Amino acid sequence: MLAGTTRDPQDVVAIVPPNMAPATVEKVAINAVMAGCRPEYLPVVIAALEAVCTDEFNIHGVNATTMGASPVLVVNGPIRHRIGMNMKLGALGTGNRANATIGRAVRLIIRNLGGARPGGVDRSTLSSPMKFTMCFAEWEEGSPWDPLHVERGFAREDSVVTAFAMTSGPVQIVDQESRRPDQIAGTLGLGLEGMFLPKIRRMPVDALLVVCPEHINTLMVDGDYPKDRLRARIQEVTARPLREMVSNDISGAGIPVASAARMTPEMLETPTPKFADGKYIHIVVAGSEAGKFSAAFHGWVTGAMGSTVVSRKIDC
């Protein structure tokens, strides 16, 4: 396994919470072996571990929250092809060794070195299959847009892994009928409206939207449909009056009745979108060329009180 990197086996890759244990290259390699990685995957595992162990990502909080958050890893750049990652049919599922074992290695390191064990620091109410593994590559060649790592400031030729703290997904968004760009964009927005709960609005929370190739074809049927236009359309179709967010007999969630009573009628009629800002909607392309099924991962708390998306260049 150590043949997969030129780094010294005793180099410390990261300090892993909550035990604050030093993860040396050698210890990372041991866990990569247990996960079933090949040596050529090791640089991706190392970069992913560096990303999740930053203060910004806050892996301690990700592990400890009862919401059941877990890292979701997206790989971009030439290394996708070099190590044979899946970005097409079944990209979010089984059947690809690199996808499965890179994510698994990171989870094992977090548990074995960091000490984040279920019932201990890991206090997830329900937990999630993502706590086994969740790693996939973006199909950059099938995308009309700049890939994720380029959007995040890296060069197209760089190999990069990006870590998201997600609480659920992939949740499928099904639309086999829409034929116009704004229709399919609207569907993608409505698919995100249920994130956490439809009554919860203006969320400063990250979402990872995985758009399939057939939905991409519909978006582009009349020409270029930029990501920012898609984000704006999502915000548009999910906008609802604040009065619909008030706690009621159907659901006690949302705006407390006492708070709503202090609002003017005009305030209660204010259209409010799902997300606090379109920047929280991260968009990648993956999946089979057949099938009109996109998907979304729902985030955790974003920012200083939670987790920030972190990208790291892969040393390959």
Side-chain angles (χ1 to χ4, degrees), residues 173-179 212 214-215 218 290-294:
I173 302 173
V174 181
D175 186 343
Q176 298 177 291
E177 309 300 330
S178 292
R179 297 293 182 267
C212 70
E214 283 211 63
H215 284 168
T218 304
K292 299 184 177 184
F293 308 99
S294 293

Side-chain angles (χ1 to χ4, degrees), residues 202-255:
R202 207 178 286 280
M203 301 190 305
V205 174
D206 292 303
L208 175 60
L209 179 62
V210 185
V211 187
C212 70
E214 283 211 63
H215 284 168
I216 290 289
N217 292 341
T218 304
L219 282 170
M220 302 296 164
V221 72
D222 291 334
D224 187 31
Y225 200 99
K227 281 187 181 181
D228 280 345
R229 181 177 171 187
L230 175 54
R231 293 182 177 106
R233 179 65 172 161
I234 290 169
Q235 293 287 73
E236 177 188 5
V237 302
T238 60
R240 301 284 180 268
L242 275 178
R243 57 177 168 76
E244 294 185 16
M245 310 304 119
V246 179
S247 173
N248 55 27
D249 291 339
I250 295 174
S251 171
I255 301 171

Side-chain angles (χ1 to χ4, degrees), residues 75-159:
V75 178
N76 286 96
I79 201 167
R80 299 168 299 136
H81 297 292
R82 194 178 309 144
I83 64 176
M85 295 193 73
N86 185 14
M87 59 204 80
K88 298 182 182 179
L89 191 151
L92 306 186
T94 60
N96 181 275
R97 184 170 179 174
N99 290 34
T101 61
I102 291 169
R104 184 60 183 153
V106 172
R107 288 299 322 180
L108 285 176
I109 296 163
I110 292 167
R111 175 180 174 134
N112 294 339
L113 296 182
R117 295 178 176 83
V121 168
D122 187 336
R123 309 301 298 180
S124 302
T125 300
L126 287 173
S127 198
S128 162
M130 291 188 293
K131 291 212 180 221
F132 283 102
T133 180
M134 181 47 67
C135 176
F136 67 98
E138 181 174 8
W139 188 18
E140 299 173 23
E141 297 77 10
S143 172
W145 301 311
D146 281 340
L148 179 66
H149 70 306
V150 173
E151 276 197 298
R152 294 184 58 78
F154 294 88
R156 189 173 293 270
E157 62 270 19
D158 289 339
S159 291

